[in-house]
Amino acid sequence: MKSPILAMAAVAALGLNLVGCKPKDAGSAVSGDAAEKVYVAPGKHDEFYNIVSGGFNGQMSVYGIPSGRLLKIVPVFSVFPENGWGYSEESKPMLNTSHGEVPWDDLHHIALSTTNGEHDGRWAFGNANNTPRVARVSLSSFRTEEILELPNSAGNHSSPFITENTEYVIAGTRFSVPTDNNADVPISTFKQNFKGYISFINVDKNTGRMGIAFQLKTPGVSFDLARAGKGKSHGWFFFSTYNTEQANTLLEVNASQKDKDFILAVNWKKAEEYLKQGKGRKEPAKYAHNLYDEKTHTATSTIMNEVITLDPKECPGIVYFIPCPKSPHGCDVDPTGEYIVGSGKLAAVIPVFSFDKLQKAIADKTFDGDFDGIPVVKYEAALYGEVQKPGLGPLHTEFDGQGNAITSFFVSSELVKWNIKDLKVLDRVPTYYSVGHLSIPGGPTKKPHGKYVIAYNKITKDRYLPTGPELAQSAQLYDISGDKMKLLLDFPTVGEPHYAEAIPAALIAKNSTKIYKIEENGHKYAAKGEKEAKVVREGNKVHVYITSIRSHFTPDNIEGVKLGDEVYFHVTNLEQDWDVPHGFAVKGGDNAEILIMPGETQTLRWKPNRVGVVPIYCTDFCSALHQEMQGYVRVSPAGSNVQLTWGTGKNPVAEAEKKVAKK
């Protein structure tokens, strides 16, 4: 039995002479004019947004390029005390799943929406690897607007990947498992009962709203990365796969036996034809669909109960396997749509496949048998050529728009530029250290903007000040505008970066949300002016319609709350000025603060646990009198006869007594 360690050693033996010696002083690798090229003067803006996955923190991070400045953290699958995501009553439904609330996940990959194969600046999609979900984030508000759970899926690593016009977001399963409706089977029956599902999620072109159009039921393999065809290959999708051995134990050894795994080529236009013919099969499936409404500032969660599946064995012509050197990670399509690049992690070459040759091979039935009923195209029949001895551990490839590709190499810690047509290596630069993904602005689209490539590294060691056993994660920025790549900048990243996409700032900045118009606030508990502020008791629930404006709350004195009550502070920010949010917290609260944007309403639930007077206050610095923006809530014993009163700028109890006296 061949060990993958021996395989890697063989790769190393082939490639050692090609991996250049790294500088003894890492600083000497930096371009001499680096500081000038990355400097963004005070008051000036970066040229690109870089939307970066947060990995195990379940978030997206937004950086400016070329400065590397962190601009924002967007919570997606994880609770976020900074702004109350997952704590406010409005956002809690966004984290609901068929398993109940899941307040964390592992967000690996980003996909930015495209029109005609080019970035359009509308939405960012992200994946939840652990509890399979796909999220959509608005690039106007930088808020998560939708999360869709994926049934029949286990380990949603292989997503989200989008088609040219964002017709579909596509997700493949990382772990093949038994179907949801036949889950209790022996693990030893892997080959018979385990399946790999690919979900095709349709996206409304106007609203972005998602729904599962159909799922493909494929053989039990693992899916890694994917890209949609473009141009001539529009209508196709290409996935890298591994564990074609269909092993269920010690995959480190048992899933690295074959010299080649597969790229799965999917003809989704053909799948649509079968659906129109009624070939889809409705199957029971339980999954959550969560939506955030910017008009009501409120999320809802709906449990769905069925999904449509297609079985390629019953629908020939949908899927084909293309052999690819073992354990492929990346599967990338060049801007023309003609070339499909595979990246076998344990291979000594980079295979480049031709879409035209693939079509001819399919038409001529140039197959090398089948795999679990799926035709296997002969390797040479689809192959355009191989990049020889490029480096060690190829992972991911993007394109510079000048006819070149750049590939990351994890083992040899480098980026390598090569020409797509002649497959010749043109340049290589070291990374610090162990690069995973890389990102070129527009790199996965029909219109790469080139100029920069960003490497996302797994190890930093000596790059930053030490911070205990774990060091900061790292990104490195390179200038690729010339013949040679030049290192310009290191910048630390939040969480564990996997993939990212960079997009010209001009496509997003002009559409940025500045305020929510107070008159359009459709929240059930909104108070659109101080005159609408009030406190209402409904049994043991107390609803506080409270407003915030520089620099006070209305009401800011409340009495008559009792132990056993549930208090809901519905806070409406009356500001109509950009970048003036207000925070709200209760002293001793056991959840979090909430952060309310101008014109928005958000709700904090509080259950008092002791008798006394409790301060409420603004948590987000809003004016010179921010510290004075506070109030008090009196909590009395259960069953007490303290009257429910409230007010601002007056004694609510005295006012109540005056009203009684007048009567």
Side-chain angles (χ1 to χ4, degrees):
M1 181 171 62
K2 294 180 181 179
S3 164
I5 297 174
L6 294 177
M8 183 60 73
V11 173
L14 287 169
L16 275 175
N17 293 331
L18 294 174
V19 181
C21 295
K22 292 179 181 169
K24 292 181 180 179
D25 174 11
S28 65
V30 181
S31 171
D33 58 354
E36 179 183 351
K37 288 190 173 183
V38 302
Y39 180 65
V40 178
K44 299 295 183 182
H45 294 171
D46 282 284
E47 185 178 359
F48 296 97
Y49 285 95
N50 192 29
I51 316 296
V52 184
S53 65
F56 41 65
N57 67 21
Q59 303 163 347
M60 295 183 189
S61 301
V62 183
Y63 295 85
I65 297 296
S67 73
R69 297 182 296 200
L70 176 63
L71 304 176
K72 191 175 183 65
I73 295 173
V74 181
V76 183
F77 301 112
S78 59
V79 294
F80 194 53
E82 180 179 313
N83 65 9
W85 182 257
Y87 294 99
S88 71
E89 295 304 297
E90 288 79 6
S91 62
K92 283 179 181 178
M94 294 299 288
L95 301 180
N96 188 44
T97 74
S98 62
H99 309 281
E101 180 186 354
V102 179
W104 77 280
D105 219 299
D106 195 1
L107 198 162
H108 276 212
H109 302 131
I110 303 293
L112 302 185
S113 58
T114 55
T115 300
N116 297 323
E118 299 179 17
H119 282 151
D120 58 26
R122 302 178 72 189
W123 305 299
F125 299 91
N127 66 326
N129 189 25
N130 186 269
T131 302
R133 289 170 282 176
V134 167
R136 177 176 56 83
V137 172
S138 166
L139 292 180
S140 296
S141 65
F142 286 86
R143 189 194 310 244
T144 304
E145 290 189 330
E146 188 172 12
I147 295 178
L148 181 65
E149 189 180 1
L150 303 178
N152 296 316
S153 186
N156 180 39
H157 173 79
S158 184
S159 84
F161 307 106
I162 60 173
T163 53
E164 277 193 291
N165 292 295
T166 321
E167 298 98 336
Y168 293 108
V169 174
I170 300 178
T173 186
R174 174 180 178 180
F175 310 105
S176 286
V177 291
T179 63
D180 287 357
N181 295 316
N182 184 34
D184 184 18
V185 299
I187 298 172
S188 59
T189 64
F190 188 109
K191 292 185 179 181
Q192 293 76 36
N193 291 316
F194 287 46
K195 299 295 178 184
Y197 277 81
I198 299 175
S199 301
F200 280 73
I201 302 165
N202 54 22
V203 180
D204 184 276
K205 64 181 180 180
N206 296 315
T207 65
R209 182 165 178 168
M210 302 185 295
I212 299 177
F214 63 96
Q215 291 185 317
L216 284 181
K217 184 188 296 185
T218 72
V221 297
S222 293
F223 297 100
D224 203 335
L225 299 181
R227 286 291 183 213
K230 51 179 74 83
K232 63 168 62 180
S233 55
H234 177 73
W236 286 75
F237 222 95
F238 305 94
F239 277 92
S240 62
T241 73
Y242 62 100
N243 192 24
T244 54
E245 294 84 353
Q246 297 184 304
N248 59 271
T249 183
L250 196 60
L251 265 63
E252 177 187 12
V253 173
N254 294 324
S256 302
Q257 298 301 297
K258 297 180 179 180
D259 289 334
K260 289 183 173 64
D261 284 293
F262 295 125
I263 286 175
L264 180 69
V266 180
N267 184 342
W268 57 265
K269 286 288 189 182
K270 188 77 171 178
E272 288 182 332
E273 292 176 10
Y274 279 116
L275 289 172
K276 289 178 181 178
Q277 296 168 16
K279 298 292 186 180
R281 182 177 301 163
K282 288 185 178 179
E283 297 185 7
K286 186 178 180 181
Y287 59 100
H289 187 189
N290 308 330
L291 282 166
Y292 191 91
D293 188 330
E294 291 284 15
K295 295 294 185 183
T296 64
H297 310 295
T298 303
T300 56
S301 179
T302 304
I303 297 297
M304 313 299 287
N305 295 302
E306 69 178 19
V307 69
I308 296 175
T309 64
L310 284 175
D311 190 337
K313 292 181 181 179
E314 301 170 0
C315 304
I318 294 180
V319 298
Y320 300 90
F321 281 124
I322 309 169
C324 183
K326 65 168 59 181
S327 300
H329 183 61
C331 181
D332 300 284
V333 179
D334 88 304
T336 70
E338 166 62 11
Y339 303 105
I340 304 128
V341 180
S343 296
K345 298 192 297 287
L346 302 181
V349 298
I350 297 176
V352 180
F353 300 99
S354 161
F355 180 74
D356 287 342
K357 293 185 70 174
L358 171 64
Q359 296 307 296
K360 185 176 188 306
I362 291 171
D364 295 344
K365 297 187 178 345
T366 311
F367 301 142
D368 193 7
D370 69 87
F371 179 87
D372 199 6
I374 306 301
V376 177
V377 175
K378 284 191 175 181
Y379 180 71
E380 294 77 9
L383 185 70
Y384 172 74
E386 296 174 337
V387 182
Q388 297 293 322
K389 301 180 181 179
L392 307 180
L395 289 185
H396 175 222
T397 299
E398 286 201 352
F399 306 92
D400 66 359
Q402 304 299 316
N404 304 311
I406 298 177
T407 301
S408 59
F409 288 81
F410 180 81
V411 177
S412 52
S413 288
E414 61 182 336
L415 301 181
V416 176
K417 181 166 79 170
W418 49 277
N419 184 268
I420 301 169
K421 290 290 182 66
D422 65 21
L423 308 179
K424 301 296 185 184
V425 172
L426 304 174
D427 189 28
R428 62 180 73 238
V429 290
T431 62
Y432 304 95
Y433 304 94
S434 298
V435 59
H437 283 281
L438 55 79
S439 173
I440 294 173
T445 73
K446 288 172 68 173
K447 185 183 177 182
H449 303 284
K451 196 165 186 177
Y452 302 111
V453 63
I454 306 136
Y456 304 95
N457 305 323
K458 301 302 181 185
I459 300 171
T460 52
K461 295 295 186 187
D462 53 0
R463 305 304 287 183
Y464 305 117
L465 288 172
T467 51
E470 183 187 22
L471 303 180
Q473 304 288 329
S474 177
Q476 291 187 301
L477 179 72
Y478 296 80
D479 180 353
I480 59 171
S481 60
D483 292 336
K484 298 294 183 181
M485 296 180 283
K486 297 178 181 179
L487 177 60
L488 300 179
L489 179 70
D490 285 22
F491 60 95
T493 61
V494 177
E496 182 196 11
H498 287 264
Y499 182 55
E501 287 196 24
I503 180 172
L507 290 176
I508 294 179
K510 63 184 179 181
N511 297 320
S512 188
T513 300
K514 294 186 176 181
I515 64 169
Y516 297 100
K517 293 181 179 179
I518 192 71
E519 64 271 18
E520 295 178 0
N521 186 328
H523 195 287
K524 179 180 179 181
Y525 294 102
K528 299 182 182 181
E530 292 187 356
K531 290 183 179 180
E532 297 182 16
K534 59 185 176 181
V535 183
V536 177
R537 175 177 288 280
E538 297 176 357
N540 71 331
K541 291 181 170 61
V542 177
H543 294 277
V544 182
Y545 296 68
I546 184 171
T547 64
S548 62
I549 196 165
R550 288 167 287 185
S551 297
H552 65 273
F553 295 110
T554 301
D556 66 1
N557 277 218
I558 302 169
E559 299 197 19
V561 173
K562 302 170 186 178
L563 280 181
D565 285 344
E566 293 179 11
V567 183
Y568 293 84
F569 292 99
H570 308 291
V571 188
T572 301
N573 183 349
L574 298 181
E575 307 283 358
Q576 292 289 268
D577 191 7
W578 192 17
D579 196 28
V580 188
H582 285 294
F584 182 85
V586 182
K587 181 184 177 295
D590 59 2
N591 44 19
E593 67 164 1
I594 54 175
L595 197 62
I596 312 100
M597 299 299 114
E600 183 182 47
T601 301
Q602 291 287 286
T603 301
L604 184 68
R605 176 184 177 272
W606 173 57
K607 191 167 184 177
N609 58 14
R610 66 183 66 182
V611 170
V613 175
V614 181
I616 57 176
Y617 62 101
C618 178
T619 56
D620 195 82
F621 196 94
C622 55
S623 72
L625 296 178
H626 165 69
Q627 288 293 98
E628 285 75 12
M629 192 169 177
Q630 64 181 56
Y632 295 99
V633 180
R634 177 186 172 189
V635 180
S636 300
S640 68
N641 59 1
V642 177
Q643 188 176 356
L644 188 63
T645 57
W646 65 92
T648 296
K650 56 189 177 183
N651 185 321
V653 175
E655 292 295 320
E657 289 174 348
K658 286 180 183 178
K659 289 180 181 179
V660 171
K662 287 180 179 180
K663 290 181 180 179

